[in-house]
Amino acid sequence: MSHATTHEHDHHDEKPKGFVKRWLLTTNHKDIGTLYLIFALIMFFIGGAMALIIRLELFQPGLQFVQPDFFNQLTTVHALAMIFGAVMPAFVGLANWMIPMMIGAPDMALPRMNNWSFWIMPFAFAILLSTFFMDGGAPAAGWTMYPPLVLQGGKNVAFMVFAIHLMGISSIMGAINIIATVLNMRAPGMDFLKMPLFVWTWLITAFLLIAVMPVLAGAVTMILTDHYFGTSFFNAAGGGDPVLYQHIFWFFGHPEVYILILPAFGVISEIIPAFARKPLFGYTAMVYATASIAFLSFIVWAHHMFTVGMPLGGELFFMYATMLIAIPTGVKIFNWVSTMWQGAMTFEAPMLWAIAFVVLFTIGGFSGIMLAIAPADFQYHDTYFVVAHFHYVLVTGAVFAIIAAVYYWLPKWTGHMYDEKLAKWHFWLSVISVNVLFFPQHFLGLAGMPRRIPDYATQFVEFNMISSIGAFVFGFSQLLFVYLVWKTAKGGEKASSRVWKGAKGLEWTVPSPAPHHTFQDNAPVNDADLAHGSAH
Amino acid sequence: MTTHRIRSAFYFLIFLMAVWLPAAQAELALNLSEGVTEFSRDVYQLHMIVLWICVAIGVVVFGAMIYSIAKHRKSKGNKPAQFSHSTKAEVIWTIIPIIILIVMAFPATRVLIKMEDPKDMDMTIKITGYQWKWRYDYLDEGFGFLSTLDRKSNLARQPDSGIDPETVPNYLLDVDNPLVVPVNTKIRFLLTADDVIHSWWVPALGWKRDAIPGFINQAWTEILKPGVYRGQCAELCGKDHGFMPVVVKAVSKEEYRQWVAQMKGEQVQQAKMDQKTWSKADLMAKGQEIFETQCASCHQKNGQGMPPAFPSLVDSATVKGSLEGLIHTVKFGRPGTAMSAFGNILTDSDLAAVVTYVRNAFGQRDDTVQPQDVAAVTQS
């Protein structure tokens, strides 16, 4: 290949001209990554706006702003938009940008499919969000779509199911692409146990996606036929079983929560060593822990259903299996802390977000252990304690990791350094307000406030008020983030190719901004450039 | 530098006080209630054990992190160590969590086994969830009744009601007819639902259990202390999910016997109501009352509903059409919609009254329906 090297360099920065060719017809992993990230950001604000209307209504008791039915539509679509529209596409965007650069590949293995899997998403969400403007409104049965309630929906059932089918197709194609890329496109010398953890966690996530997205598609298809074609999969009066749906849904749903968090683990495992200037502690243990979490995620689904009336044996099995997840997750937390230990840390924005991730995700993990205890779950289930738990793992977990990743790699993408002072403002405003927002929800749940209610008894007033104030500060602080990213894309201090002194990995060997095409010559990788170059 | 740090710490303290002091003054519930059953107390103990274990782990892990963040920074001229693994450390922090988990699993298993073992029960109550009310059937006594959000809360919770919820006693946690049970008695609950999934929850009893159409779930309790215990539906069940409270009134065994005798007397009266012929004025008055408690949450007080989910009754074809068809719809419901079969929860005289009211008020038909007319309509 070496004879082609000089020739290839001339084409590195050749971007297609015109909006249609550059963005609509693109097969470039970096442009598709950008599209995914922008789409995720837009959905984050749409879902966030819904959350703010919810918190506005809950600011005080009584109904002031929305009708109960519209409230239920908001909670339902807020969750669908955030899970399928914001967090998942954001991680796919990061994967698109970074995986080829991290493993020394010129692009994703299946670039045309890559284009298609992105461009399905705007249509899927246009369909889902259009239901707000229809007779009868948007789906209102919760993102879990439990029958028989979901079957009482009007026209929105068909639109919701079709939108979920499209999202599923997009996710499966994205996952196939990532697996094909990681298995086939690694540069010579990039062995499996030299891959960055972000690549490892995404590879495992991609297998989870392929395993469970078809399960969700099956579940919602049965809802579709129950609603329109007179079948009775979940209709007790016709001999069906409403609990069967919950088993199928959570067989998808539990691996899904790891789909949302495993790539976050990968991001944090890249950032902490870079800013501690020290190798990641226990690299192989991290890989095995990720794989164990993925395996366990398939055998714990019914812990979401402890109150449906399972036999004792079932409750015990799912309780024990769920508690086991604490072990590999604990290994990860301990390894991150050990990576920091005796390092030479600096605290630029990516590191701040990563440290906040470790602390706050661990708090979400603690409430997770509490929820695993089946008899105690008879109290916690379906209360604000659960709401607090999953927002700690998804907002201060997944979303914080995404923001950390953006600050970490933004100079590589744009060629400019972001404004560190403004980024610190963004961090401190967010990290304080997010705790004001979600921490009191633990108390609300323990004191007896059920989730998904538009109005509440008067003993819950104070904490709801505090939580709503936190929500508004957190929500509006994110506008700072948009401004920061926009400002960095426009200009700013030039970034060097290494950007962060302690960072390792192939992405830091290419110039900043990364040329439109990278690693076309497929040269063997140099162990010294890798974070995990020598065998561990 | 130091004064700067002190100043920031001071501001932070003020912030914390601003947030938490009002909370402390109001003596807010921060924690699970201990409850009034052996099970709820067991759960409380379990909750506290696990909570303190988590706090202890948190102190160790976060303590190490904070120490490291304070000491191992580049600004202090620290040279980074280069170690990247330690088999000994990794084995230790795999084994210690396993031991902690086993310590938690033992009491959890014991409590769970006790909960799932409903034997030697003294009485049985069947709980049925409806959108959006509960029905309680005392299977040993042969009577039952509906329990819905009480009138004061219901008025205050309407959008733009102008009523301050703080002025309503037990806002959203009060019902017209509470579930009355004796203390120190083992009560078996059989739970089911008629339309969608609900979940019956009273925190003081220590558990919630789903009420699922087509299933009969089982749970039990033995309340140790007389009192009124309040809870809510915990599973999203549609528009008024937030407005179907559960109220349990636990009384002495003697008081309970008196209450049962009184309820049985009322049941005899009720049967007479279904036999007699009613005047139109009586039907209309009773019908309006029933319409407002049972029907208005969907069809609205003015009958105009919230189309398309909840159709308008004003001049609707069903309301104006054959009387038999209208009775059939109310008595047996419309499968696949939120219209449930009110024949299961209202008496014939109640149904006659509400059909008369709907027919006259929204259908402009001058008809009277008697309980006997309702009894004559059968499902087919």
Side-chain angles (χ1 to χ4, degrees), chain A residues 61-64 66-69 72 75-76 135-137 140-142 146-149 151-152 236 240-243 246 276-283 285 306-310 312 315-316 319-320 323-324 326-327 330-331 333-335 337-338 340-347 355 358-360 362-363 366-367 369-370 373-383 385 432 436 439-440 442-463 466 501 536, chain B residues 12 15 19-20 22-23 26 28-33 39-40 43 46-47 50-51 53-55 57-58 61-62 64-65 67-69 72-75 78-86 89-90 93-94 97-98 100-102 104-105 107-109 111-113 115-116 131-132 156-161 164-166 168 171-173 195-197 199 201-210 212-215 217 232-243 306-310 336-338:
Chain A
L63 288 174
Q64 291 86 22
V66 297
Q67 297 281 343
D69 191 49
N72 291 343
T75 53
T76 303
D135 257 7
Y146 281 5
L149 182 62
L151 300 172
Q152 290 182 354
D241 180 346
V243 178
Q246 299 186 21
R277 291 164 181 75
K278 195 166 154 274
L280 180 71
F281 187 90
Y283 169 80
F306 278 142
T307 63
V308 298
M310 262 186 291
L312 176 66
E315 288 176 332
L316 287 175
M319 174 168 77
Y320 298 148
M323 291 167 82
L324 282 181
I327 296 163
V331 166
I333 309 270
F334 299 140
N335 284 2
V337 177
S338 308
M340 292 164 68
W341 193 259
Q342 288 185 5
M345 280 185 275
T346 53
F347 302 93
I355 290 173
V358 176
V359 174
L360 300 175
T362 304
I363 292 177
F366 288 150
S367 52
I369 294 175
M370 296 172 74
I373 309 291
D377 185 69
F378 293 161
Q379 288 278 39
Y380 309 140
H381 181 79
D382 267 338
T383 68
F385 191 77
I432 292 169
V436 176
F439 208 81
H442 290 114
F443 304 142
L444 285 173
L446 294 176
M449 179 165 160
R451 63 192 282 208
R452 293 165 166 170
I453 57 174
D455 191 4
Y456 47 81
T458 48
Q459 70 260 41
F460 305 129
V461 170
E462 285 81 359
F463 285 129
I466 294 170
K501 283 210 176 64
H536 287 275
Chain B
F12 186 63
F15 163 78
V19 172
W20 299 119
L28 288 176
L30 294 172
N31 201 358
L32 219 52
S33 79
F39 178 76
S40 71
V43 165
L46 205 54
H47 161 75
V50 180
L51 178 64
I53 290 176
C54 287
V55 169
I57 299 171
V61 174
F62 298 151
M65 260 183 97
Y67 178 83
S68 178
I69 289 170
H72 307 141
R73 32 173 81 211
K74 188 160 174 271
S75 57
N78 219 48
K79 286 268 171 293
Q82 287 303 315
F83 63 85
S84 67
H85 57 280
S86 153
E90 291 178 68
W93 65 48
T94 309
I98 292 176
I100 295 174
L101 289 175
I102 292 172
M104 291 183 197
T109 306
V111 174
L112 192 61
I113 289 173
M115 176 66 197
E116 299 296 355
Q131 284 173 315
W132 293 276
R157 67 116 172 164
Q158 301 302 326
D160 309 312
S161 67
D164 180 4
E166 303 270 4
V168 179
Y171 177 60
L172 298 187
L173 293 180
D195 34 44
V196 301
I197 301 173
S199 190
W201 181 34
V202 178
L205 305 192
W207 50 265
K208 62 177 69 68
R209 182 122 311 175
D210 293 355
I212 304 169
F215 281 72
N217 265 334
Q232 280 177 274
C233 176
E235 178 68 53
L236 179 63
C237 57
K239 186 171 78 68
D240 284 352
H241 162 56
F243 308 101
M306 294 197 284
F310 308 117
T337 71

Side-chain angles (χ1 to χ4, degrees), chain A residues 192-226:
Chain A
F192 274 117
L193 282 177
K194 291 182 182 177
M195 292 196 312
L197 261 172
F198 181 70
V199 179
W200 259 116
T201 52
W202 241 119
L203 178 65
I204 291 167
T205 303
F207 279 104
L208 289 183
L209 274 169
I210 289 182
V212 301
M213 292 311 287
V215 178
L216 175 66
V220 294
T221 306
M222 285 186 266
I223 283 179
L224 191 76
T225 61
D226 271 12

Side-chain angles (χ1 to χ4, degrees), chain A residues 389-409:
Chain A
H389 161 72
F390 65 69
H391 282 99
Y392 263 87
V393 290
L394 286 180
V395 179
T396 61
V399 173
F400 271 32
I402 292 165
I403 295 174
V406 171
Y407 280 120
Y408 185 55
W409 284 311

Side-chain angles (χ1 to χ4, degrees), chain A residues 12-322:
Chain A
H12 275 187
D13 224 16
E14 201 174 79
K15 299 186 181 86
K17 300 268 183 292
F19 181 83
V20 171
K21 270 197 169 162
R22 171 80 196 269
W23 299 109
L24 225 53
L25 304 177
T26 180
T27 53
N28 180 286
H29 73 100
K30 299 186 182 78
D31 283 352
I32 293 173
T34 305
L35 287 172
Y36 264 113
L37 287 167
I38 291 172
F39 178 78
L41 189 66
I42 293 169
M43 293 310 297
F44 180 62
F45 277 92
I46 292 176
M50 292 175 196
L52 289 190
I53 302 174
I54 291 169
R55 284 311 326 167
L56 184 69
E57 179 55 60
L58 293 174
F59 182 71
Q60 58 186 79
L63 288 174
Q64 291 86 22
F65 301 97
V66 297
Q67 297 281 343
D69 191 49
F70 186 60
F71 184 91
N72 291 343
Q73 296 173 26
L74 288 175
T75 53
T76 303
V77 183
H78 160 74
L80 291 171
M82 286 304 202
I83 293 167
F84 295 102
V87 174
M88 286 170 72
F91 279 125
V92 180
L94 292 172
N96 257 294
W97 251 103
M98 300 319 299
I99 286 178
M101 285 211 283
M102 286 175 139
I103 61 173
D107 204 308
M108 297 294 280
L110 308 158
R112 279 172 216 286
M113 193 164 88
N114 204 13
N115 172 295
W116 197 23
S117 67
F118 171 76
W119 278 110
I120 285 177
M121 295 294 287
F123 292 96
F125 277 89
I127 290 169
L128 181 66
L129 295 175
S130 71
T131 55
F132 272 111
F133 306 100
M134 288 174 189
D135 257 7
W143 83 280
T144 49
M145 303 170 283
Y146 281 5
L149 182 62
V150 73
L151 300 172
Q152 290 182 354
K155 290 178 197 158
N156 60 45
V157 176
F159 288 85
M160 176 188 74
V161 169
F162 190 48
I164 286 174
H165 280 159
L166 288 179
M167 294 169 207
I169 291 168
S170 164
S171 293
I172 290 169
M173 290 198 300
I176 289 173
N177 212 343
I178 285 166
I179 292 172
T181 306
V182 175
L183 295 189
N184 297 311
M185 309 267 294
R186 280 169 293 125
M190 176 59 77
D191 304 337
F192 274 117
L193 282 177
K194 291 182 182 177
M195 292 196 312
L197 261 172
F198 181 70
V199 179
W200 259 116
T201 52
W202 241 119
L203 178 65
I204 291 167
T205 303
F207 279 104
L208 289 183
L209 274 169
I210 289 182
V212 301
M213 292 311 287
V215 178
L216 175 66
V220 294
T221 306
M222 285 186 266
I223 283 179
L224 191 76
T225 61
D226 271 12
H227 194 265
Y228 292 99
F229 302 107
T231 57
S232 294
F233 289 109
F234 308 129
N235 173 9
D241 180 346
V243 178
L244 172 68
Y245 173 84
Q246 299 186 21
H247 282 289
I248 301 172
F249 180 86
W250 287 113
F251 187 79
F252 145 79
H254 201 78
E256 168 70 17
V257 305
Y258 292 100
I259 289 167
L260 299 170
I261 203 67
L262 292 184
F265 290 166
V267 167
I268 301 306
S269 304
E270 300 301 322
I271 292 176
I272 290 181
F275 293 89
R277 291 164 181 75
K278 195 166 154 274
L280 180 71
F281 187 90
Y283 169 80
T284 23
M286 289 296 226
V287 173
Y288 288 123
T290 309
S292 332
I293 293 173
F295 168 75
L296 287 173
S297 77
F298 284 106
I299 57 164
V300 297
W301 75 88
H303 69 214
H304 297 269
M305 311 161 47
F306 278 142
T307 63
V308 298
M310 262 186 291
L312 176 66
E315 288 176 332
L316 287 175
F317 171 80
F318 285 106
M319 174 168 77
Y320 298 148
T322 305

